[in-house]
Structure formats: structure tokens, C-alpha cells
């Protein structure tokens, strides 16, 4: 069973890593474009604050969730972009303070969720640990956009394990959100962790397998890199297909990144299928 306290601690560490980067940016830095089309760094932080507020409703006031969903349905399919745009219009110091306050309140609310209670969300209901992992995944992903926009390299940390595990557990969701039937058989995923050890998910005797670095896998399942720009190796046609649609975040299929948009890591072999 996932340890909620550990996940919340790693989520806090991840948010602080990003906070340290944006806190000292001038206003012009907040206006810098990121790889997400139409989104500046201000949009990225405003979106994280917006999503934390939504997660706080699910964790602290689940009885209000249905009303929240109904309001979003009225807003139309652009509600995520609209929320980011509205937040991004505020002064940077207000965006940052909003994000800090919201993430602290969410961590406190998630820690207080009784064991076994499921929280409503835009996808299937989830436990507090899964919600914290989802926030970790999204925070890391949007942080990557910020690092890319600033031309900074972020050293991979062992807390990527949460995202890697989440990425494998959302395999079938990615197929369904693309109106495809998930493969009947599980895949084996073997990843090289930041410390050189191996993280393995799925049955050891699976016919199809994915291998590569944990960093590359997390970049692909959050759609921050096109699979062609990584060193991931798909052993099987179904795994190859999955790499093209993998999506750990809720909502409709994402646009992802274009092949060649980012150079492959110098320490990775060109991706290939076996």
C-alpha cells in the first residue's frame, strides 16, 4: 500500500524545486513562453494553483464536487485553458502566493482523509494517496515546461518513482480516452532509476516489454517529450502503440510534443522497437 506521508513529502519537495526557480524571476520571466502552446510560465503556475483548488474541493468538501463539475460543463471544453489564462493575468507575486497557500491547504486536507475513502475527480474516484500522486505527476510535468522555457536542466530525483508507477497504472485509461480497447495482456516495464537501480512494473514473464530510463518514461507519460526524442525501447507492437498515446493526466487526449522538438538525451540510445 502506498504511504501517503511519503508521497506528500515528495510532493512538497517537488513544489519547492519549482518554487525556487520562479520565485526570483522578474515579471518578464513570468511572461516567457513555454513549450505548451499559448502558455507562459505564469500560465503554468496559475494552472497548478487552479488544479490544487479543485483537488481541495474533492478532498475537503466532496459533497460540493457535483456542483463543481456542473459549473465546468457550463464553461465548455476550454475550462482548463480559461482557468490558466484568468490566473495568469494576475501579478506574479499574487500567482505565487495563491499557489503556495493552495498547495499547503491541499496537503493538510489529503493528510486528514480517512483510510479507504475515495475522492471524486474528473476521472475515476481515487484514494488520497492516488490524488497526491496525481498532483505530484502534474506538478512535475508543468515544472518541466518551466525548466524547458528557461533552458534549465533538472536533475532527476528518486521521487520520480511515484510518477513512473502512476504512468504504468494509467495504461488502460490512455487507451480508453483515445477510444481504443486496451490490450488484454499486461506489459512489463523495466526502468533505470536515477541512482542506477532498476524499477520494474508488471509481470516478469509478460510477452511485451518497455525498457529505458525512468526519466524518459515519465517525460513520455506526461507528454513532455515525444517518444522519438527519448531512448525508450518498445519490445512489441502493442507497447509501441501505447507509447504514442500514453497519458497519465485526466481529460481528453493531449497534444503532446512534436518529434524532434527536443534533442534525445546524449546518454540514451536512439529509440527502437524490438
Amino acid at each position: 500500500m502506498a504511504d501517503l506521508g511519503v508521497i506528500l513529502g515528495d510532493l512538497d519537495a517537488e513544489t519547492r524545486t519549482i518554487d525556487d526557480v520562479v520565485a526570483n524571476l522578474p515579471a518578464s520571466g513570468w511572461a516567457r513562453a513555454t513549450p505548451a502552446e499559448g502558455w507562459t510560465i505564469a500560465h503554468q503556475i496559475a494552472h497548478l494553483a487552479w488544479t490544487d483548488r479543485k483537488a481541495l474541493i474533492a478532498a475537503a468538501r466532496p459533497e460540493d464536487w457535483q456542483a463543481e463539475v456542473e459549473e465546468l460543463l457550463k464553461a465548455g471544453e476550454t475550462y482548463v485553458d480559461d482557468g490558466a489564462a484568468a490566473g495568469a493575468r494576475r501579478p506574479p507575486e499574487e500567482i505565487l502566493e495563491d499557489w503556495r497557500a493552495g498547495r499547503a491547504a491541499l496537503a493538510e486536507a489529503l493528510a486528514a482523509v480517512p483510510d479507504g475513502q475515495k475522492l471524486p475527480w474528473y476521472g475515476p474516484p481515487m484514494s488520497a494517496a492516488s490524488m497526491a500522486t496525481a498532483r505530484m505527476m502534474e506538478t512535475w510535468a508543468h515544472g518541466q515546461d518551466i525548466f524547458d522555457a528557461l533552458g534549465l536542466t533538472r536533475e532527476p530525483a528518486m521521487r520520480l518513482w511515484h510518477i513512473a508507477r502512476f504512468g504504468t497504472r494509467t495504461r488502460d485509461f490512455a487507451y480508453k480516452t483515445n477510444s481504443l480497447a486496451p490490450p488484454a495482456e499486461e506489459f512489463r516495464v523495466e526502468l533505470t532509476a536515477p541512482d542506477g537501480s532498476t524499477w520494474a512494473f508488471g509481470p516478469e514473464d509478460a510477452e511485451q516489454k518497455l525498457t529505458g530510463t525512468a526519466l524518459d518514461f515519465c517525460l513520455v507519460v506526461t507528454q513532455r517529450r515525444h517518444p522519438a526524442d527519448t531512448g525508450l525501447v518498445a519490445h512489441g507492437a502493442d507497447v509501441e502503440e501505447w507509447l504514442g498515446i500514453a497519458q497519465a493526466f485526466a481529460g481528453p487526449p493531449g497534444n503532446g510534443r512534436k518529434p524532434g522538438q527536443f534533442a534525445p538525451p546524449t546518454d540514451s540510445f536512439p529509440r527502437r522497437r524490438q
Side-chain angles (χ1 to χ4, degrees):
M1 180 179 295
D3 188 320
L4 177 58
V6 170
I7 303 171
L8 289 175
D10 284 346
L11 172 59
D12 180 64
E14 191 60 46
T15 59
R16 288 177 184 274
T17 297
I18 300 167
D19 196 313
D20 287 344
V21 170
V22 301
N24 296 317
L25 285 178
S28 59
W30 283 76
R32 183 176 297 212
T34 69
E37 186 175 355
W39 281 34
T40 64
I41 289 176
H43 284 78
Q44 299 286 352
I45 298 299
H47 172 70
L48 289 176
W50 180 90
T51 314
D52 282 344
R53 288 196 300 273
K54 303 305 179 185
L56 182 60
I57 295 173
R61 307 191 310 278
E63 66 277 6
D64 294 338
W65 185 253
Q66 186 57 41
E68 174 64 26
V69 170
E70 291 172 0
E71 285 300 312
L72 290 180
L73 290 175
K74 293 178 185 177
E77 295 182 356
T78 62
Y79 66 87
V80 172
D81 288 319
D82 293 344
R89 287 193 287 268
R90 301 168 65 188
E93 59 273 16
E94 290 186 15
I95 302 172
L96 186 56
E97 184 57 36
D98 186 31
W99 181 43
R100 287 171 174 169
R103 74 196 198 215
L106 176 59
E108 183 177 352
L110 288 173
V113 173
D115 290 343
Q117 180 176 321
K118 294 290 187 179
L119 306 178
W121 197 236
Y122 303 107
M126 59 178 72
S127 66
S130 292
M131 177 70 81
T133 303
R135 297 308 307 131
M136 170 80 179
M137 175 273 299
E138 188 171 25
T139 298
W140 182 85
H142 288 283
Q144 185 64 47
D145 291 333
I146 293 170
F147 275 76
D148 286 337
L150 296 172
L152 301 176
T153 298
R154 176 172 51 174
E155 290 300 318
M158 292 297 284
R159 56 182 177 266
L160 281 178
W161 184 87
H162 304 296
I163 304 171
R165 178 173 178 267
F166 199 71
T168 62
R169 291 167 67 89
T170 54
R171 185 201 74 164
D172 288 2
F173 165 77
Y175 277 90
K176 292 173 182 176
T177 199
N178 282 276
S179 301
L180 298 171
E185 303 298 327
E186 292 186 59
F187 301 150
R188 175 74 168 181
V189 177
E190 295 180 357
L191 305 171
T192 302
D195 67 353
S197 62
T198 298
W199 294 338
F201 307 92
E204 192 172 358
D205 60 350
E207 292 186 4
Q208 300 193 57
K209 182 169 67 172
L210 176 68
T211 58
T213 68
L215 175 59
D216 278 352
F217 179 69
C218 292
L219 288 168
V220 168
V221 297
T222 59
Q223 297 192 359
R224 263 52 192 182
R225 293 291 185 273
H226 190 278
D229 288 350
T230 73
L232 295 176
V233 180
H235 305 258
D238 289 339
V239 178
E240 181 81 11
E241 179 184 46
W242 176 42
L243 284 180
I245 62 172
Q247 175 175 323
F249 51 88
N255 295 325
R257 302 289 178 261
K258 298 178 177 63
Q261 187 172 353
F262 295 93
T266 56
D267 59 349
S268 296
F269 293 102
R271 194 174 69 88
R272 64 191 186 278
R273 192 177 108 192
Q274 294 186 345

